[in-house]
Amino acid sequence: KMDHLACFLPGLLALGADLLGAEDPALRDEDMQLAKDLTATCYEMYRRQPTGVAPEFVRFTPGRGMVNGANHNLLRPETTEALFILWRTTKDVKYREWGWQIFLAFDRWCRVTGGGFAGIKDVTSPHPAKDDTMQSFWLAETLKYLFLLFSDDDALDLSKWVFNTEAHPLRVMPGLPTAENV
């Protein structure tokens, strides 16, 4: 089982590989490859749906591969977070392309007439019903990561800023322990 919530992990691995991996290049490369592979899996959760919007979780089964678990989508940010960080750490344009496809799917299926966005009840439906809820993390996290994915790198320097679990940027304080002085 893999929840959409687990899709934060590729970004964490990529940041660790990028910022702390100089001491052990082999481990850095291994962590970065794992980050890339997990990000691809998270993107596939979106790409494989008729709506292009990911289910809440999937299961991996022998012979069938990735199978939807719960078909609803709550507008979660974890995949867009991973795409943003993988773009910044690798400069591979596919992460922006994937982010754009996800944004277009959200825009098509989750936009509410008159304003706002809402989750959808069934990502496999040709005409999914909305759940009548716009989660606060949609604006605070999902759209923020998509905005940063397409912004210039100087919009937020990842060597000077870190995000907490709610996507609030916090300035890295000088003088704190680093890989070099621990």
Side-chain angles (χ1 to χ4, degrees):
K1 177 182 172 191
M2 183 171 167
D3 288 76
H4 189 284
L5 290 167
C7 289
F8 82 94
L9 185 59
L12 178 78
L13 290 167
L15 281 175
D18 189 56
L19 298 173
L20 303 174
E23 292 180 21
D24 187 343
L27 182 59
R28 178 194 63 225
D29 293 346
E30 185 179 320
D31 285 352
M32 188 58 83
Q33 188 58 53
L34 180 56
K36 291 174 181 179
D37 293 345
L38 287 171
T39 300
T41 301
C42 293
Y43 173 67
E44 285 296 313
M45 290 171 67
Y46 285 81
R47 192 191 67 76
R48 293 179 183 206
Q49 308 310 314
T51 57
V53 177
E56 183 68 7
F57 70 89
V58 295
R59 295 186 186 278
F60 299 94
T61 61
R64 292 181 51 204
M66 184 186 293
V67 178
N68 289 9
N71 283 335
H72 64 278
N73 180 284
L74 302 175
L75 309 171
R76 291 200 184 275
E78 290 77 16
T79 297
T80 59
E81 176 184 11
L83 293 171
F84 159 62
I85 294 171
L86 269 288
W87 159 251
R88 286 285 187 89
T89 56
T90 69
K91 297 298 185 221
D92 188 331
V93 297
K94 76 180 173 189
Y95 299 114
R96 280 185 162 173
E97 292 167 358
W98 292 354
W100 185 243
Q101 292 306 310
I102 289 170
F103 172 76
L104 290 176
F106 278 137
D107 189 53
R108 179 173 183 192
W109 299 110
C110 302
R111 180 181 290 275
V112 175
T113 304
F117 286 77
I120 56 178
K121 294 181 180 182
D122 185 355
V123 299
T124 67
S125 172
H127 302 287
K130 294 177 181 64
D131 67 9
D132 197 31
T133 302
M134 185 170 78
Q135 303 289 340
S136 62
F137 50 72
W138 167 250
L139 294 172
E141 299 178 64
T142 309
L143 286 180
K144 183 184 299 176
Y145 288 125
L146 284 167
F147 171 79
L148 290 169
L149 175 61
F150 297 103
S151 296
D152 292 335
D153 289 358
D154 61 0
L156 198 103
D157 183 342
L158 292 180
S159 69
K160 297 178 181 171
W161 294 88
V162 64
F163 289 101
N164 71 6
T165 58
E166 300 303 317
H168 300 297
L170 303 170
R171 187 173 281 287
V172 175
M173 297 173 55
L176 292 178
T178 66
E180 289 80 34
N181 67 16
V182 172

